[in-house]
Amino acid sequence: MLRSYRLIVPLSTILIALAGCSTPLMAPHSPTLPAQEGQQALARTTDCCSSLASLPYRPITAQETLTLNFTPQSPAHDFGDGKSFFQAFELPRNNGPIALSVSSSIRDGQVFAPTILVLDANFQPVRKVSSDSLRVRRPTGFTAARLGGEFSLTPGADAQYVVIYTSTEDRQASTPYESEEKAYARVRGLAEPAGPDPRATHAATGEVSLEIASLTRDTGMAPLLGSNPAQMPQTSGSRPQPSAAAPATATAPTTTTNAPDFDYRRMIDAALKAGDVELALDLAERAERSGHPGTRAWLAERLQAKKP
């Protein structure tokens, strides 16, 4: 019964989107608070808490996707490397290893560049993933250009809380990215707009997607990252340039020789046979993110072959 409510998209539009054209399917979004206004709002905001232990943590589950909004209404705290609006979470207990996937969209020429801080059960920092560990993802038919990365940890006494914020150093940097206009021209074989790639200003406000997935349950995310994904290292220096083929992670789980490889193309074939194009598109997007370049193009060929 629910299948009757699926979004019907013309095949020609799907093919353009799979090729990487961002313009036709890019969803509109609410206006972005200009970076300067966000920074001014942060400067006016009072520190909410006296210590890391007193931050307002909220529990999260091992299979959840959250949209985090960092706005002037969010709590702010000085983390020692600068005051920032933040979101704080208590990790699921008695769960085993989990994967955390972070994605921050570049909108209106600016982006919230997140730093991820992991705390132990005594609220002491045990791990810090800086924003320059994240990679730049090119725009696609479904998403804007964005910063993204994935890493794994095992909740317990040594890793019980996670805080997402942006440091002063984060906000002093900027990130080059491929514009939607250039992506469209590149995919369509047109002359690309002249000039250098735009640079996104790192802002005090923004929106971040956080996905939490268990690596010990049959959730579909464990094969995406491998059975034993490596930790995301802290790095410094210039941020890597946008890459269409590389997965948007600072780790390389797909190169782990003993990790099982998820057969995305077989699953996509099954989705197509079932007539579920929406699922096929989602699987192709996941495959590209996890280090299987060319999956969208392969799916486009499959859809083209089915075209009357």
Side-chain angles (χ1 to χ4, degrees):
M1 180 66 68
L2 292 177
R3 295 178 63 86
S4 62
Y5 292 94
R6 289 191 179 279
L7 177 66
I8 305 300
V9 181
L11 181 57
S12 59
T13 304
I14 292 174
L15 293 174
I16 292 174
L18 285 168
C21 168
S22 60
T23 304
L25 295 183
M26 191 63 66
H29 54 81
S30 58
T32 303
L33 182 67
Q36 184 175 3
E37 293 183 23
Q39 183 61 38
Q40 292 171 349
L42 176 62
R44 294 192 299 267
T45 303
T46 303
D47 194 323
C48 73
C49 310
S50 59
S51 66
L52 291 175
S54 60
L55 300 184
Y57 297 94
R58 53 175 166 144
I60 52 178
T61 67
Q63 190 64 26
E64 190 170 0
T65 300
L66 304 172
T67 298
L68 311 179
N69 291 303
F70 298 83
T71 72
Q73 288 71 48
S74 302
H77 180 64
D78 189 337
F79 292 92
D81 51 4
K83 185 170 67 173
S84 172
F85 299 120
F86 70 90
Q87 300 276 356
F89 305 96
E90 181 179 2
L91 296 172
R93 298 175 183 268
N94 304 318
N95 181 83
I98 61 174
L100 298 180
S101 176
V102 177
S103 179
S104 183
S105 296
I106 297 174
R107 292 180 173 176
D108 299 328
Q110 61 187 59
V111 66
F112 184 92
T115 283
I116 300 97
L117 186 65
V118 181
L119 312 175
D120 64 16
N122 295 317
F123 302 98
Q124 296 301 309
V126 294
R127 185 176 177 188
K128 183 177 180 181
V129 180
S130 58
S131 69
D132 57 11
S133 296
L134 306 180
R135 297 293 181 90
V136 186
R137 297 177 179 176
R138 277 178 167 170
T140 71
F142 308 98
T143 55
R146 59 212 184 277
L147 294 177
E150 297 168 346
F151 67 101
S152 64
L153 53 80
T154 300
D158 295 329
Q160 193 58 68
Y161 303 95
V162 167
V163 182
I164 300 177
Y165 70 99
T166 181
S167 68
T168 299
E169 184 178 359
D170 288 333
R171 296 192 299 275
Q172 290 174 345
S174 62
T175 294
Y177 66 99
E178 183 179 74
S179 67
E180 295 175 16
E181 293 77 13
K182 180 175 285 189
Y184 180 84
R186 172 174 50 80
V187 172
R188 301 297 293 171
L190 304 175
E192 295 186 3
D197 285 332
R199 299 189 70 91
T201 300
H202 291 186
T205 59
E207 182 180 287
V208 173
S209 174
L210 174 65
E211 183 175 0
I212 310 98
S214 172
L215 296 180
T216 58
R217 300 177 183 174
D218 185 17
T219 62
M221 189 70 178
L224 180 66
L225 293 174
S227 60
N228 186 29
Q231 292 189 351
M232 179 186 291
Q234 296 184 42
T235 61
S236 59
S238 59
R239 189 183 305 281
Q241 295 297 312
S243 171
T249 69
T251 65
T254 55
T255 62
T256 304
T257 56
N258 61 350
D261 190 18
F262 192 54
D263 191 348
Y264 283 100
R265 298 196 179 193
R266 179 178 61 81
M267 297 298 292
I268 290 171
D269 266 333
L272 292 177
K273 289 178 182 179
D276 195 339
V277 176
E278 183 179 346
L279 175 59
L281 292 170
D282 179 68
L283 287 168
E285 181 71 13
R286 281 177 172 264
E288 293 279 348
R289 293 203 311 263
S290 62
H292 297 273
T295 306
R296 282 194 296 261
W298 174 81
L299 175 56
E301 292 176 0
R302 302 281 293 174
L303 292 172
Q304 185 66 45
K306 292 178 177 290
K307 188 175 180 181

